[in-house]
Every structure is written in C-alpha cells, then in structure tokens.
Amino acid sequence: MSDSTVVDYHPMWEELGLDLPTHDALLGAVGQMFADAYLTQNNRPEGMSYLNFVMSEVHGLRVKELHDFRATGGKVIGTFCLYVPEEIVRAAGGWCVGLCAGAEFGYDEVEKIMPRNTCALIKSFMGFKLSRVCPYIQESDLVVGETTCDGKKKAYEALGELHNVYVLELPQMKRPEDVAFYRGELGELRGKIEQLTGKIITAESLKAAIKEVNDKRRALQRIAATRAASPAPISGKDALLATQVAFYDDVPRYTQMMNLLADELEERVAGGVGVAPASARRILITGTPMALPNWKLHDIIEKSGGIVVGEEMCTGSRYYDKLVPEDGETVEDMFDAIAAKYMDINCACFTPNQGRIDDILRMAKEVNADGIIDYALNFCTPYQMEAFTVEQAAQDIGMPLLKIDTDYSAEDIGQLSTRVEAFLEMI
Amino acid sequence: MSDSTVVDYHPMWEELGLDLPTHDALLGAVGQMFADAYLTQNNRPEGMSYLNFVMSEVHGLRVKELHDFRATGGKVIGTFCLYVPEEIVRAAGGWCVGLCAGAEFGYDEVEKIMPRNTCALIKSFMGFKLSRVCPYIQESDLVVGETTCDGKKKAYEALGELHNVYVLELPQMKRPEDVAFYRGELGELRGKIEQLTGKIITAESLKAAIKEVNDKRRALQRIAATRAASPAPISGKDALLATQVAFYDDVPRYTQMMNLLADELEERVAGGVGVAPASARRILITGTPMALPNWKLHDIIEKSGGIVVGEEMCTGSRYYDKLVPEDGETVEDMFDAIAAKYMDINCACFTPNQGRIDDILRMAKEVNADGIIDYALNFCTPYQMEAFTVEQAAQDIGMPLLKIDTDYSAEDIGQLSTRVEAFLEMI
C-alpha cells in the first residue's frame, strides 16, 4: 500500500464516514495478502504492473475518481451481481462499481442481524458495510441488488435499512416468459437509473455503452484464449485479478490496459513463454464467484505446482464470454438484446441449468484442463447443490473433479493444500 | 399402528415398490412417536379420535383410497408447497397429496447427491424417496414442485431423475407484474394437469373445487378461532396435526370431520373447558412448516407446561386463513382470483415480506399470546434470515420472542426443553 501513503487519502475516507483505524488495518492486511500471493510469483507478464498499481490504489485513486465524478453530479451504482447490466447504467451517464466483499470483516456485527451459517460473500459485504470500511458502497448513490439466491435476496432487506437499495427481480428459469419478465425488470431499472442520473438513455448512448462494455469483454476474452496454451502465459491468480478489477475500474482505461496485457500474452504464446512448466497440471475452476481479495484457492493450487487455466464463474467466463449484439438501432431493440444476453448467463440460481454443465465441459476441453475443481462457499446452496450435477457430468466424460467447500478464512488452508496436492498428483 | 395389522397392506406396499422391512420399521417408529406425543395427552377432544384413526392408517387406508382411485383412472398430484393450488388439481378431477417428510430417513443416501448442510425438509423428502418408504410419492402420477427456495428449486432437479416432476415458477416479489407472472404459471399448470387427467377444467368444476377447498379452510379457521379462548380447548399439538392431515386426506370427509371437531371445541369454549390450565403460558409459533410427523417443538412446549395457541406457518394459518373469492363466473376470472389469493400468502421467499410481520403481530394479539417462538429448520435460509426481522418487530411491541433453529433429530430435545422452560418462566 506504499502509494497510498504518498497521497494521503485519509481526509477523503473520513469524509466518506469510514472507520479510519479499522480501515487502515484492513488495507494493511489486504496489502500483505496481495504481496504474499502475487508479488512472490515468477516471470509475471509486464502488463500486470497495471493491476499491481490498481491494487496499491484500491481504496485510493479509484475512489478519488468516483469522488470527483460525484462532485460534478455523476452517479455511482454499486452492484454485486452480473445480472445488473452495466450498459444500462453507463448509457444513462452513471458508473458501475462492484462492492467490497471477499474477506472476513465485521462478522461479529453481521451475526447480530443474520444467521451465522450465511455464505461468506453475504457476511462479508454486510460486514464491510457495518464496519464502515468499504469506500465503494459509501460512494454508491444506489445499490442495485437482485434475487439470485435466498441469502442475497433477504440480505438486501437488511442492507436497505442502511443504504439506498433497489432490487431487480431475476426469474428462476430461462423460458421465453422468463426472458420477457427480466426484460420488464430492465425497463423498470432504466426508469430508476434515469431518474437518479437525470439523463435519458438514447439510442446513441446505449449503442456506445454496449460497444464499450463489449470491448471490455473482448479484451478479457483475448486474455482467456491465451490460457489454453501450454505453457500457460499467465498464472490463474493474475487472470483472476484481471477479472476482479473489471468490476471496479474505469471502463475505457481498463480495456486499453487489458488489451496491452493480451498483446503481451499472445506474444508469449507465440514464443512459447510461460509462467509454469508445461508439465504443470492444468485446472479449470468452476463455482461460486471469487470477490476481490479472495485468491485463496488459486493461491493454493499454484503454490502446489498446478496452474489454473480457466474460471467458469461470475469472476471468470460468465462475466465476459458472451457479448450483447451491437446491431440494435432502437433503444427497445437494444434492451431486448441486453435481456437476452444476460439471461444467457448460466448462474446456478436457474432451474434447470444444463447450460452451465455444457459450458464447464466445453471450457475444460478448450483450455486443455487435466482436472476440474468445483469451488463453493459454505452455505451457498445453489452452487453446493449443483456441484453434484457437475461432478456427475465430469465423471461421465472421465474428467477428474475435486469438490471444495470453504470460506474466506485462512484456517483451512493447510487442509485444502493437502487435498489439492493429492488431487494434482492423482491426475 | 394396530389397525394396519388388521388389514394387511403389505401386498399394496410391495406393488408400490416400497422397501418393506424398512417401511415396517418406519411405521413402527412413527407409531411410537405418535403414542408418546399424542396419546399421553389429557382431556383431548373427542373429535381427535378421527385424527388418531387417520394416523393409525397413515400409510394404509388413505393410500388404499389413492390406489383404488388410480385403478379407475384417477390421477394423483404430489406437492410440498402451498403455492400449488389444490383447486386447479381438483377441478380437473385430480387429487392432491402432500409428500412424506418430517423425519430423518435415508440421509446417508441423500448426502451422496446433495450437501450435508441442506435443510431437514429437503433431506427428508429425498430420503423417503431414495429409501422407498413413501407410498404417497409412489402413488403420485406427477409431483408439482416450485421455486420457493434455493434448496427445493435444485432438489427438484435431483428428484426429476427419479420421478415425474413439473416445476411451477413462483416469483419473488408481490407487485402486480409478479401476480400476473404467477397467473401465467397457473395457466401452464392447468394445461399440464388437464393433459394428465384427460379432463378439461370448466367453470362449474372450478367453482365447485374452490368452494370445496374453501370449506376445508373454513373448518380450520373455526378450529383456529377457538384457540384464542382461555383455557385453550385443544392442544397446539392436536391443532397442528389437524392441519398436517389436511394435506393428505379426502377433502369432503376431512372437512366434515373438522367441522365436528370445531363444534366440540366451540362447546368447550362456551363451557370454559380446556386442555391446559388458564395460567399456562400461551405461545404463538412462527416459521418453517412442520411436516408430519414433526411435532417436536409443540411437544417440548406443551410438556414444559406451555400451550401453543397458533401457528403462523404453512402448516398453520398460511394454509387456511385466506379464501379464494367464490363469486367468479368464468374460468379466467376464477384463475385470476386463485392467483391473487395464493400470492397473498406471506412466505419468507418473498422480498420484501412485511405482510408476514403484520400477520405475526396480528395473530399474537388475536390468540392472546404471551410469547412467540420463531422456529426455523437449520439451513432454511429464507426463514432464518427473516427471523431477525421478526425478532425486531416483536421487540418493538414488547412481545417476548425465542428463536429456535433445529432439525428433525431427537438429539437436541434436552437442550431445547431447557431453553423453552426458561422462556416460559421468563414470560
């Protein structure tokens, strides 16, 4: 966090109502986690220096940008989920940010208002809010939640007592009537966002926003494609970080930097340069999203000698593998296209959800995986339940699979390392 | 289970594919549980003899009736949830039955296909199916599931591998567009049921079915109303059993018998006759439904000297406190009325769900409760999360509340008894 000490952001954090001593402690801990997990890696791509910089300024420069944006009347919308289309927010002149989670924080306070056996993602975001250590939620004029799982659905009720929250209803199936229902929800979201920003979405602004967000996805697709090479040109940990930062960063700048990283990775592939020996076991991870700074499983796998070559998760392929068609001419057409694209994301909240199984098997083949690790946060019912279907599908094609249920704590790292090492040896 | 041995149902159970030795053991255990919890009570209403008989024939005579009905071409629809309207099934000539749950059975097999930390209701219904000890699912031509919670939503995918399952999508909010969506789902359900039974729903048949199911609810409302008296004319355990049996029994017969019970209870109230001293602490229970034979909490409370005077649950007021308007003339009008009525049930799966809080506070007043016990099955996220809102609301009106999270096992009965006794002394 050395850069944060060059510019003193404490006055800004104080203005945001953060609990400064606790927040300092948090930044110190995340900085140490980042150093241990990331800066110890060998032969990292040059392009990662941008993401190192972003991490060093994770609650600094980017928050300052949001702060300045809001000072000129800009509106920031905080989200936790892919089903809140960034295109709509941007077309109305707003900015989207992901909210803090990914680390155990403030659980004592959280357990006074929700069950102990709530998944780590939910406990974490509530803990960050209750402990006043998340500048992103403080900079959010509105949090847009969704009904993707029982836990988040009810947690937004609690968050609504503390912050301005709007909940978008996601249907639970993928039939035409469900897509139509979600399309209706997007229409209501449009009204809500336009009212907030005071700007009307036009065909031009929406077309531009679709292009811009697609460009971000295309950059991530380029990075993802290089990971199919052997040796892999980038660690899974670094690729995960790239996706995690996509939720926070300025869109055009981020896209530009990720395209530079992709250029470098493509050169590496052409030159046979990698970050791990070609003999390293190649792992596809699937399951619950990994919010920044949750790098635990990737770190364990890669410190055990494996290499993560893909993530079928919301902080992975689900984020970037599908584009919104860019040929819409009217706002209504483009909203239809957005609704169709987002309803084509295969979250475990849907029933049935064969599309996700198909995605996992396809990706395993595309990235030449030697094995799959199915990752779920404890008490994440949709992914924990679906893990059994994933396991069966992997077994049917003879692909080794390891199921891991965990949380954000460091307590089980030893035990998980043992299991992962055994899995890597076995495959 | 003495009556079951008079008529030998084993050939029927064998024909249904039940695992006979395991099923015999189950019936023996349930019979013993029933004897311990129910037949030890003093001064029970005469009318409970009908429910004693039903329990003695729980897998016997009633299953035989379903068996005979199906032998003549009748169709049986199994459900787990209030949101599958019995009116629609009956109007198409079908019969509805609840499916087995409420006891720990076959968990070893269940944990091979779903997480250990799944709620007891789901593990139980899957365990009954996998162990082949539930004659009701075996007699069900179709199981109609719903998307009320993450666990059930995904469990129906697993059940669909073993049985004929159709899933109705329940929306997650209660706005007009949600009611319209659910109305659409009921239209699709209609088609499915008509196809199954081969009978078209007519205005006459639907009107009759609405009346018939309302009559059942009205009988239960009469019973519920008598529980406001002091002393209470019926134990909570007996009243719970009445509601549990409502899911299984022949509708007109059950209604007739419950009206006889209600007559008796009204006489008791008029004569000041009760099953517990007027000084007994009066408890309203709210939370997760209690599937037959789950009488654990009621048994603990009443053996500790309290009296349960109401249940705000799906096996309680949510089942019977609202009627479908009977003035519809066309099938479409009546479907609208059914959709509106069912969407007015306040399950914790909805967000927001202030209606349930209002119901709890109103009921607590109506039944003159001295305290509320909020009951949730472990890992039942919607009710466990909402328990915090319920607790706050009770606190706001100065009503004592005890939160209990448990499952179907007997292991924590000692500990729960201690907590309940302390609560009864405190209020």
Side-chain angles (χ1 to χ4, degrees):
Chain A
M1 301 287 102
S2 53
D3 290 273
S4 307
T5 57
V6 175
V7 180
D8 185 3
Y9 293 113
H10 285 84
M12 175 178 76
W13 294 331
E14 187 161 24
E15 197 185 321
L16 289 175
L18 298 193
D19 175 338
L20 296 183
T22 310
H23 182 252
D24 282 349
L26 170 73
L27 281 191
V30 172
Q32 191 57 52
M33 280 172 68
F34 184 72
D36 292 345
Y38 280 86
L39 305 181
T40 53
Q41 298 178 99
N42 290 323
N43 198 24
R44 294 176 80 204
E46 289 290 329
M48 287 306 296
S49 58
Y50 175 69
L51 294 174
N52 288 348
F53 172 70
V54 167
M55 281 305 297
S56 73
E57 288 284 340
V58 67
H59 284 190
L61 185 57
R62 181 59 183 150
V63 176
K64 176 81 167 49
E65 290 177 348
L66 301 178
H67 207 67
D68 294 345
F69 176 61
R70 294 177 74 218
T72 63
K75 300 295 177 186
V76 174
I77 283 81
T79 69
F80 278 112
C81 183
L82 301 194
Y83 293 98
V84 182
E86 188 168 14
E87 291 88 345
I88 294 175
V89 172
R90 295 185 69 82
W95 286 1
C96 267
V97 288
L99 298 176
C100 303
E104 289 189 335
F105 225 84
Y107 279 20
D108 287 350
E109 288 303 305
V110 173
E111 289 172 11
K112 290 178 189 164
I113 61 166
M114 56 180 63
R116 196 162 190 282
N117 57 1
T118 301
C119 91
L121 181 78
I122 294 169
K123 284 172 86 162
S124 178
F125 85 67
M126 286 302 293
F128 273 89
K129 175 65 187 174
L130 290 168
S131 309
R132 297 187 288 119
V133 292
C134 176
Y136 291 98
I137 195 163
Q138 298 310 102
E139 293 284 10
S140 293
D141 296 286
L142 176 70
V143 169
V144 180
E146 21 52 49
T147 59
T148 43
C149 67
D150 294 336
K152 279 203 281 176
K153 179 166 68 178
K154 302 309 276 186
Y156 290 125
E157 295 177 14
L159 189 64
E161 304 279 315
L162 309 168
H163 205 90
N164 186 23
V165 173
Y166 175 83
V167 179
L168 174 151
E169 185 175 355
L170 188 73
Q172 309 184 64
M173 295 185 178
K174 294 189 164 194
R175 303 160 305 171
E177 56 264 48
D178 295 295
V179 179
F181 185 89
Y182 177 69
R183 170 69 178 83
E185 288 294 298
L186 295 187
E188 293 192 35
L189 178 68
R190 174 191 181 176
K192 182 81 188 171
I193 302 287
E194 286 180 339
Q195 187 184 32
L196 183 74
T197 64
K199 291 182 186 161
I200 299 296
I201 293 176
T202 64
E204 285 80 11
S205 73
L206 188 54
K207 204 176 178 75
I210 288 172
K211 170 78 166 55
E212 201 169 48
V213 181
N214 275 348
D215 284 344
K216 172 159 68 165
R217 294 190 188 108
R218 278 187 276 260
L220 287 166
Q221 288 174 357
R222 287 183 61 202
I223 294 171
T226 67
R227 299 169 75 190
S230 180
I234 182 171
S235 68
K237 215 149 47 182
D238 278 336
L240 172 64
L241 181 63
T243 314
Q244 289 172 332
V245 168
F247 288 80
Y248 296 88
D249 204 7
D250 176 77
V251 176
R253 177 180 62 209
Y254 171 85
T255 302
Q256 184 186 8
M257 300 311 289
M258 290 306 102
N259 274 316
L260 290 176
L261 176 61
D263 291 343
E264 181 185 357
L265 298 182
E266 287 165 3
E267 279 168 34
R268 281 188 165 206
V269 171
V273 177
V275 292
S279 60
R281 302 286 85 188
R282 303 170 62 85
I283 301 298
L284 172 69
I285 299 182
T286 180
T288 314
M290 293 171 171
L292 188 106
N294 176 22
W295 311 298
K296 181 170 145 178
L297 180 59
H298 283 65
D299 196 41
I300 289 170
I301 294 167
E302 297 189 337
K303 283 185 175 154
S304 302
I307 176 98
V308 179
V309 290
E311 294 84 18
E312 188 285 316
M313 32 180 59
C314 296
T315 46
S317 62
R318 278 179 235 139
Y319 183 76
Y320 54 72
D321 72 350
K322 284 158 187 162
L323 304 176
V324 178
E326 295 179 3
D327 56 355
E329 290 304 330
T330 67
V331 171
E332 296 305 314
D333 282 352
M334 287 185 260
F335 264 78
D336 289 346
I338 290 171
K341 177 269 181 307
Y342 280 86
M343 283 292 288
D344 200 24
I345 299 172
N346 296 314
C347 172
C349 66
F350 290 103
T351 187
N353 194 32
Q354 182 60 35
R356 181 169 164 237
I357 306 301
D358 297 342
D359 285 345
I360 294 167
L361 300 183
R362 176 183 48 74
M363 281 181 73
K365 200 172 164 190
E366 281 172 2
V367 298
N368 300 304
D370 298 307
I372 297 173
I373 296 186
D374 186 291
Y375 164 86
L377 289 175
N378 292 327
F379 313 115
C380 173
T381 305
Y383 283 97
Q384 285 192 317
M385 298 281 284
E386 203 159 282
F388 291 82
T389 313
V390 174
E391 187 176 34
Q392 185 60 54
Q395 201 174 308
D396 290 347
I397 62 159
M399 171 68 68
L401 181 139
L402 175 67
K403 268 201 293 190
I404 287 187
D405 292 343
T406 183
D407 54 27
Y408 296 157
S409 83
E411 280 172 26
D412 61 352
I413 289 179
Q415 186 210 3
L416 292 182
S417 298
T418 306
R419 291 182 60 205
V420 166
E421 283 163 22
F423 182 66
L424 293 174
E425 273 171 36
M426 186 267 286
I427 63 180
Chain B
M1 301 289 104
S2 54
D3 291 90
S4 307
T5 54
V6 175
V7 180
D8 185 5
Y9 294 112
H10 284 85
M12 174 178 77
W13 293 332
E14 187 161 24
E15 198 185 319
L16 289 175
L18 298 194
D19 175 337
L20 296 184
T22 310
H23 182 252
D24 283 348
L26 169 72
L27 280 192
V30 171
Q32 190 59 53
M33 282 171 68
F34 185 72
D36 292 345
Y38 279 84
L39 305 181
T40 53
Q41 298 179 100
N42 291 323
N43 198 24
R44 295 176 79 204
E46 288 291 327
M48 288 305 297
S49 58
Y50 175 68
L51 295 174
N52 287 349
F53 171 70
V54 167
M55 282 305 297
S56 73
E57 286 285 340
V58 67
H59 284 191
L61 185 58
R62 181 58 183 152
V63 176
K64 176 80 166 49
E65 289 176 349
L66 301 176
H67 207 67
D68 293 346
F69 176 61
R70 295 177 73 219
T72 62
K75 299 296 176 185
V76 174
I77 282 82
T79 69
F80 278 111
C81 183
L82 300 194
Y83 293 99
V84 183
E86 187 169 16
E87 291 88 345
I88 295 174
V89 172
R90 295 186 68 82
W95 287 2
C96 267
V97 288
L99 298 176
C100 304
E104 290 190 334
F105 225 84
Y107 278 22
D108 288 350
E109 288 303 307
V110 172
E111 288 171 12
K112 289 179 190 163
I113 61 167
M114 56 179 64
R116 198 161 188 282
N117 57 1
T118 302
C119 92
L121 182 78
I122 294 169
K123 285 173 85 161
S124 177
F125 85 66
M126 286 303 292
F128 273 87
K129 175 66 188 175
L130 291 167
S131 308
R132 299 188 287 119
V133 291
C134 176
Y136 290 98
I137 196 162
Q138 298 310 101
E139 292 284 11
S140 294
D141 296 286
L142 176 70
V143 169
V144 180
E146 20 53 49
T147 59
T148 42
C149 68
D150 294 337
K152 278 203 282 178
K153 180 166 68 180
K154 303 308 277 186
Y156 289 126
E157 296 176 13
L159 189 64
E161 305 280 313
L162 309 168
H163 205 90
N164 186 22
V165 173
Y166 175 83
V167 179
L168 175 151
E169 184 175 354
L170 188 73
Q172 308 184 64
M173 295 184 177
K174 293 188 165 197
R175 303 159 305 171
E177 56 265 47
D178 295 295
V179 179
F181 185 89
Y182 177 68
R183 172 67 180 82
E185 288 294 296
L186 296 188
E188 293 191 36
L189 178 67
R190 174 190 179 175
K192 183 79 187 170
I193 302 287
E194 286 180 340
Q195 187 183 34
L196 183 72
T197 63
K199 291 182 186 162
I200 299 298
I201 293 176
T202 64
E204 285 80 14
S205 73
L206 188 54
K207 202 175 179 76
I210 288 173
K211 170 77 166 52
E212 201 168 48
V213 181
N214 275 349
D215 284 344
K216 171 160 68 165
R217 294 189 188 108
R218 277 187 277 258
L220 287 166
Q221 288 174 357
R222 287 183 63 202
I223 294 171
T226 68
R227 299 169 75 191
S230 179
I234 182 171
S235 69
K237 216 149 47 181
D238 277 337
L240 172 65
L241 181 63
T243 314
Q244 289 173 331
V245 168
F247 289 79
Y248 295 88
D249 203 6
D250 176 75
V251 177
R253 177 179 64 208
Y254 172 84
T255 302
Q256 185 187 5
M257 300 310 288
M258 291 305 103
N259 274 317
L260 290 176
L261 176 61
D263 291 343
E264 181 186 356
L265 298 181
E266 287 165 4
E267 278 168 34
R268 282 190 164 204
V269 171
V273 178
V275 292
S279 60
R281 302 287 86 188
R282 302 169 63 86
I283 301 297
L284 173 69
I285 300 182
T286 182
T288 315
M290 293 171 172
L292 188 106
N294 176 22
W295 310 299
K296 181 170 147 178
L297 181 58
H298 283 63
D299 196 41
I300 288 171
I301 294 168
E302 298 191 334
K303 284 186 175 154
S304 302
I307 176 96
V308 179
V309 291
E311 294 85 19
E312 190 286 314
M313 31 181 59
C314 296
T315 45
S317 62
R318 278 180 234 137
Y319 183 76
Y320 54 71
D321 74 348
K322 284 158 187 160
L323 304 176
V324 178
E326 294 179 3
D327 57 354
E329 291 304 329
T330 67
V331 170
E332 295 306 314
D333 282 351
M334 288 185 260
F335 264 78
D336 289 347
I338 291 170
K341 179 263 172 330
Y342 280 87
M343 284 292 286
D344 200 24
I345 298 173
N346 295 314
C347 173
C349 67
F350 290 103
T351 187
N353 194 32
Q354 181 60 35
R356 180 169 164 239
I357 306 302
D358 298 343
D359 286 345
I360 294 168
L361 300 182
R362 176 183 47 74
M363 281 181 73
K365 200 171 164 191
E366 282 172 1
V367 298
N368 301 302
D370 297 308
I372 297 174
I373 296 185
D374 186 292
Y375 165 86
L377 289 175
N378 291 326
F379 313 116
C380 173
T381 305
Y383 283 96
Q384 286 192 316
M385 300 281 283
E386 204 160 280
F388 291 82
T389 313
V390 174
E391 187 176 33
Q392 185 61 53
Q395 201 174 308
D396 291 346
I397 62 158
M399 172 68 66
L401 181 139
L402 175 66
K403 267 201 294 191
I404 287 187
D405 291 344
T406 183
D407 54 26
Y408 295 158
S409 82
E411 280 173 25
D412 60 353
I413 288 179
Q415 187 210 2
L416 292 182
S417 297
T418 305
R419 291 181 61 206
V420 166
E421 282 162 23
F423 182 66
L424 294 174
E425 275 172 33
M426 185 267 286
I427 63 181

